[in-house]
Amino acid sequence: MDFERSARAEELHAELGSFVEEAVIPAEAAYVMEMAASGDPHHVSEVLEELSRKARSRGLWNLFLPHRTQWTEGLSNTDYAPLAELTGRSPLLAPEALNCSAPDTGNMELLEQFGTPEQQEQWLGPLLEGEIRSCFMMTEPDVASSDATTISCRIRRDGDDYVVSGRKWWVSGASDPRCRVAVVLGRSNPAAPAHQQHSMILVPMDTPGVVIERDLLVFGYNDREGHAEVSLQDVRVPAANLIGAEGAGFAIAQARLGPGRLHHCMRSIGTAERALELLCSRADDRSPFGRALADQGVVREWIADSRIEIDQARLLTLNAAWLLDHGGPKAAKGLLAEVKVAVPAMSLRVIDRAIQVHGGAGVSQDVPLGAMYANQRALRIADGPDEVHRRAIARTEIAAQRARTVARVPVPGAIGHTGGAGGPAGAHLSVVPGVKDA
């Protein structure tokens, strides 16, 4: 296992690092002022647009795609991981400035892998050029969407069209005025086996029957791209808008969600790094009761624990990225679940310590910690709640243990079996590679 970055990734890391520190983070205050002055929570920010122009001119554009295309040379997940971490230092601006923000990244990967040439021309090209935005409609308010087999939005064939009916929520990006298309997961084959009932389809946002009902706030924050509740009222789209085959929705979703979860966690590490820097700076700057906070034993413990936890999380994430590169989504599934549980929880702990050291300022709008905390707390639910990933991890461990147990059961007549010849009673041979007897 080798986490060494390619020469190109090293160059991009240096370029992106300077861009984030010299251009993006200093622009955060101007962005907040611009958004407040506009009076529109979904205003298309000129500050952000200018950052995008600068990023593109510096070759920092569409870095997330692991496949070589006409729009990008492609980076491995292992190469992209440290770059995504840098963008996580400014989650407010950096990912979108590089055209590397969710949900567009997942939708672009999906279209690149599964879209028809016509779908790619109509939607993928403009998305990769940054001309439009997109959203992903999966979660629903009336079912337990952590179990995706319960998704009930209906996709019904009607002649040369499909008719889509249902209600979705937490549709990130839907409120952005540049959002032109939604990728919708719905039930198309109710009589099929559970994991073959659903399909994915492209729904242009201006199609009659697509209604944005309201914005959903995240701990009181209304993000610029919006997290909307959307109703789909007998929305009719051409059959050519189906992505892949009918009933393939789950397989496509897994291909989309695996890298997406990894990208979230990569950025979370960058967010935690910045929170730790803010913690250390504040601890050096404040001296209550005649002694600097940085000299207090408990604060030093917080700093040390934060450094240990961040470094552990980074290695786990790089491990998952490497396995995704070399074995694909199926091989990396277990590690991706581990990362998705461990990294946002780690980031929350680090941010919480930074908030505590900042006191009242930590929960105010004067520092980014409150918004960081809200984002990371929501991430423990987004793309599958912690409990679902823990369930999958535990199921894998139990299955592995049962396999080891079965492999060690003595076979009558085998060497070491009490009823056969040779070897002491109770001895046996393991048939599991790499497993030694206790």
Side-chain angles (χ1 to χ4, degrees), residues 58-185:
R58 296 171 72 159
L60 303 172
W61 193 255
N62 290 336
L63 302 177
F64 68 94
L65 269 178
H67 314 289
R68 184 181 296 273
T69 69
Q70 61 178 301
W71 296 277
T72 176
E73 295 182 22
L75 286 172
S76 69
N77 289 289
T78 307
D79 275 346
Y80 180 59
L83 302 176
E85 178 180 328
L86 289 175
T87 68
R89 293 178 59 78
S90 180
L92 189 65
L93 296 177
E96 188 171 338
L98 275 62
N99 209 35
C100 291
S101 60
D104 293 308
T105 49
N107 290 342
M108 287 187 272
E109 285 196 66
L110 185 152
L111 286 168
E112 194 272 329
Q113 293 181 66
F114 303 102
T116 65
E118 293 76 18
Q119 291 169 352
Q120 291 175 347
E121 181 180 358
Q122 184 175 7
W123 302 116
L124 178 58
L127 282 168
L128 285 166
E129 293 292 341
E131 297 169 357
I132 64 171
R133 315 304 296 184
S134 65
C135 61
F136 184 70
M137 297 187 185
M138 175 176 161
T139 306
E140 299 178 7
D142 298 325
V143 300
S145 299
S146 57
D147 176 4
T149 63
T150 67
I151 295 297
S152 61
C153 173
R154 190 76 170 89
I155 299 176
R156 176 176 55 85
R157 183 71 182 254
D158 184 21
D160 293 332
D161 297 331
Y162 282 99
V163 178
V164 185
S165 303
R167 183 174 291 267
K168 300 288 188 177
W169 73 343
W170 295 112
V171 183
S172 299
S175 299
D176 189 320
R178 300 166 299 168
C179 183
R180 295 289 184 269
V181 66
V183 177
V184 180
L185 178 70

Side-chain angles (χ1 to χ4, degrees), residues 1 17 38-39 42 51 76 89 92 106 114 135 143 148 152 169 185 191 195 215 232 308-309 331 334 390 402:
M1 192 174 297
S38 74
H42 309 303
L51 286 173
S76 69
R89 293 178 59 78
L92 189 65
F114 303 102
C135 61
V143 300
S152 61
W169 73 343
L185 178 70
H195 289 89
D215 282 333
L232 302 165
I308 292 167
E309 292 167 11
R390 283 192 166 98
R402 287 172 178 167

Side-chain angles (χ1 to χ4, degrees), residues 107-399:
N107 290 342
M108 287 187 272
E109 285 196 66
L110 185 152
L111 286 168
E112 194 272 329
Q113 293 181 66
F114 303 102
T116 65
E118 293 76 18
Q119 291 169 352
Q120 291 175 347
E121 181 180 358
Q122 184 175 7
W123 302 116
L124 178 58
L127 282 168
L128 285 166
E129 293 292 341
E131 297 169 357
I132 64 171
R133 315 304 296 184
S134 65
C135 61
F136 184 70
M137 297 187 185
M138 175 176 161
T139 306
E140 299 178 7
D142 298 325
V143 300
S145 299
S146 57
D147 176 4
T149 63
T150 67
I151 295 297
S152 61
C153 173
R154 190 76 170 89
I155 299 176
R156 176 176 55 85
R157 183 71 182 254
D158 184 21
D160 293 332
D161 297 331
Y162 282 99
V163 178
V164 185
S165 303
R167 183 174 291 267
K168 300 288 188 177
W169 73 343
W170 295 112
V171 183
S172 299
S175 299
D176 189 320
R178 300 166 299 168
C179 183
R180 295 289 184 269
V181 66
V183 177
V184 180
L185 178 70
R187 178 174 275 117
S188 58
N189 307 62
H195 289 89
Q196 297 172 24
Q197 293 184 6
H198 295 77
S199 298
M200 282 192 184
I201 196 162
L202 292 162
V203 176
M205 292 297 287
D206 60 359
T207 307
V210 177
V211 180
I212 297 179
E213 301 287 355
R214 60 171 177 154
D215 282 333
L216 296 168
L217 308 185
V218 182
F219 289 99
Y221 289 94
N222 194 353
D223 294 327
R224 189 200 51 72
E225 70 275 16
H227 308 286
E229 182 171 346
V230 180
S231 61
L232 302 165
Q233 303 169 2
D234 294 329
V235 176
R236 185 175 291 270
V237 296
N241 285 23
L242 193 72
I243 302 173
E246 271 198 19
F250 270 91
I252 295 172
Q254 286 305 309
R256 179 192 188 278
L257 288 172
R261 288 167 177 154
L262 188 63
H263 296 173
H264 277 311
C265 292
M266 295 166 177
R267 289 189 290 264
S268 294
I269 294 168
T271 299
E273 282 283 7
R274 188 171 175 200
L276 179 55
E277 291 174 12
L278 291 169
L279 189 165
C280 292
S281 178
R282 182 75 170 192
D284 248 352
D285 188 53
R286 289 292 191 270
S287 299
F289 309 108
R291 188 179 184 190
L293 286 172
D295 293 330
Q296 301 286 353
V298 66
V299 175
R300 291 195 170 195
E301 285 186 14
W302 290 349
I303 293 169
D305 287 346
S306 296
R307 171 48 56 208
I308 292 167
E309 292 167 11
I310 290 171
D311 288 349
Q312 288 174 330
R314 180 182 291 111
L315 287 172
L316 184 63
T317 303
L318 285 170
N319 193 359
W322 184 91
L323 191 57
L324 189 59
D325 285 333
H326 291 80
K330 188 172 182 179
K333 184 177 179 181
L335 265 177
L336 289 170
E338 293 180 38
V339 167
K340 183 59 174 58
V341 172
V343 177
M346 172 280 296
S347 186
L348 277 172
R349 290 192 298 271
V350 176
I351 295 167
D352 186 68
R353 293 165 187 148
I355 289 173
Q356 198 70 10
V357 168
H358 278 76
V363 293
S364 77
Q365 70 270 38
D366 291 349
V367 292
L369 294 169
M372 288 177 174
Y373 190 93
N375 177 269
Q376 292 299 305
R377 183 59 186 86
L379 194 53
R380 289 186 57 204
I381 300 171
D383 283 1
D386 290 357
E387 292 73 20
V388 169
H389 294 297
R390 283 192 166 98
R391 176 175 176 266
I393 295 164
R395 188 169 56 223
T396 301
E397 288 299 308
I398 291 168

Side-chain angles (χ1 to χ4, degrees), residues 412-436:
I415 296 176
H417 186 259
T418 53
H428 61 274
L429 296 178
S430 171
V431 296
V432 181
V435 175
K436 295 183 178 179

Side-chain angles (χ1 to χ4, degrees), residues 27-51:
E28 289 176 343
Y31 169 82
V32 171
M33 291 176 62
E34 179 193 4
M35 294 301 294
S38 74
D40 176 5
H42 309 303
H43 167 72
V44 178
S45 165
E46 179 53 37
V47 170
L48 186 50
E49 293 286 291
E50 177 60 22
L51 286 173

